[in-house]
Amino acid sequence: MGAQAKVYKRRIKSVSATKKITKAMEMIAASRVVKAQRRVAASAPYATELTRAVGAVAKGSTTQHALTTESENPTRAAVLLITSDRGLAGGYSSNVIKAAEQLTERLIREGKEVDAYIVGRKGVAYYSFRERKVTESWGGFTDNPTYADAKKIAGPLIEAVLKDTAEGGVDELHIVFTEFVSMLTQTPVQDRLLPLSLAEKAEEQEKKGEILPLFDFEPSAEDVLDALLPRYVEARIYNALLQAAASKHAATRRAMKSATDNADELIKSLTRLANAARQADITQEISEIVGGASALADASAGSD
């Protein structure tokens, strides 16, 4: 076998090994995204009803609560960005980071300082490379988040909202994550968690034709809000973490399928080139044999 054909054979072997890896990763991501999708579906009703309950309590009372009252002159905002701990997911992390950058630029144009809270090593690496300040970061659980992880994230954020801005607190809390729409579609989402926009919630309920009942509060509306709002933030963050995890697995599956398909095409191309090189080697060997036989025949004829 000629040298060129050996090179092609080695490359085919290398690409085939890579194809096995990408195929295995595709199958793993496919199994994980189904589980993640079920967890998203299971968590959504609780988050939705809790949001509805908080909105109903806040709207049904005259209490001026720190987590539902708009600041007259907001000067500082917190942005929670949810990315991934790992790569190999196409443009998943870069797309959600781009959405967070757009939100940050908008808040700065509105005259607000922005505190960055990051989930996922990809987001932390992005900010570290650009030497930008990160108030707090978390990682190591983005593929399979738990409610305990959401609670751990929510604590410092609620504390920042309750603090005065002069002491390092914030007036608003925003979250940026990737919403899982389908296996083919995952969309970066910018959402304001706090203060809760009662006008928007009321408009949504009117569109759905919901009629809110009248409430009596015991011991008081403020105490009810104190109990409900931390759970509201935790539930919303947990749902966002699950949405992001499902989106990441779907993006990984799509990226690995594309890599596997590309490996197939490359193997076919290299196989054709290897066959052509082998045929060229055989043709050359036949030509050399024919040429040698002709030379021997001419030499024999000359001696006669």
Side-chain angles (χ1 to χ4, degrees):
M1 184 180 292
Q4 193 63 33
K6 288 182 179 179
V7 170
Y8 289 135
K9 291 291 184 183
R10 281 198 298 270
R11 288 191 63 189
I12 289 171
K13 186 176 180 181
S14 175
V15 173
S16 296
T18 303
K19 177 189 168 184
K20 289 180 181 178
I21 295 171
T22 56
K23 185 65 177 178
M25 293 179 71
E26 178 191 346
M27 294 174 68
I28 292 170
S31 65
R32 286 178 176 173
V33 74
V34 172
K35 294 177 183 177
Q37 194 175 358
R38 289 173 184 164
R39 294 181 70 192
V40 170
S43 72
Y46 176 74
T48 301
E49 288 303 315
L50 191 55
T51 302
R52 180 176 177 274
V54 171
V57 174
K59 193 171 186 298
S61 70
T62 57
T63 301
Q64 297 295 309
H65 196 278
L67 301 183
T68 58
T69 304
E70 297 274 356
S71 175
E72 292 182 2
N73 184 27
T75 59
R76 198 177 190 90
V79 174
L80 174 63
L81 168 62
I82 300 178
T83 64
S84 175
D85 287 321
R86 302 180 183 181
L88 300 177
Y92 166 76
S93 290
S94 61
N95 289 338
V96 73
I97 288 173
K98 190 182 298 182
E101 291 287 78
Q102 292 171 354
L103 174 61
T104 301
E105 290 174 4
R106 177 171 64 80
L107 292 173
I108 291 173
R109 285 197 303 270
E110 293 173 358
K112 300 169 187 172
E113 294 183 45
V114 178
D115 291 346
Y117 293 80
I118 312 294
V119 176
R121 297 189 183 108
K122 287 295 178 181
V124 173
Y126 177 88
Y127 275 69
S128 298
F129 181 76
R130 287 156 181 79
E131 298 182 350
R132 291 166 60 178
K133 182 183 175 182
V134 175
T135 304
E136 198 157 348
S137 63
W138 302 267
F141 54 79
T142 57
D143 281 357
N144 188 30
T146 64
Y147 195 86
D149 297 321
K151 195 169 183 177
K152 180 170 60 178
I153 296 167
L157 292 169
I158 295 172
E159 185 180 344
V161 173
L162 291 174
K163 277 185 183 178
D164 190 85
T165 52
E167 300 174 356
V170 298
D171 298 305
E172 298 176 358
L173 170 58
H174 299 260
I175 185 170
V176 184
F177 65 99
T178 306
E179 182 182 17
F180 181 86
V181 180
S182 68
M183 292 292 286
L184 298 176
T185 306
Q186 299 86 44
T187 308
V189 172
Q190 305 168 0
D191 194 12
R192 193 182 81 170
L193 293 187
L194 297 173
L196 190 64
S197 178
L198 301 181
E200 290 180 6
K201 299 302 175 187
E203 186 178 342
E204 289 177 9
Q205 288 161 352
E206 285 177 8
K207 287 180 180 178
K208 295 178 182 177
E210 296 180 2
I211 299 175
L212 294 178
L214 297 175
F215 289 95
D216 288 326
F217 303 108
E218 182 67 33
S220 68
E222 187 174 0
D223 290 332
V224 173
L225 286 173
D226 284 339
L228 279 180
L229 278 164
R231 288 173 174 77
Y232 157 75
V233 175
E234 292 166 7
R236 290 292 299 274
I237 291 176
Y238 181 53
N239 182 258
L241 288 172
L242 293 179
Q243 295 262 11
S247 298
K248 189 269 178 183
H249 293 316
T252 298
R253 177 184 175 275
R254 189 166 58 250
M256 291 301 99
K257 185 179 187 308
S258 178
T260 302
D261 293 342
N262 290 338
D264 275 330
E265 292 298 321
L266 186 55
I267 289 171
K268 290 178 183 177
S269 177
L270 290 172
T271 300
R272 285 194 295 267
L273 292 172
N275 290 338
R278 182 168 173 272
Q279 289 171 358
D281 290 339
I282 293 171
T283 301
Q284 184 178 354
E285 289 175 4
I286 292 173
S287 297
E288 289 173 355
I289 292 170
V290 170
S294 178
L296 285 173
D298 290 343
S300 297
S303 62
D304 291 340

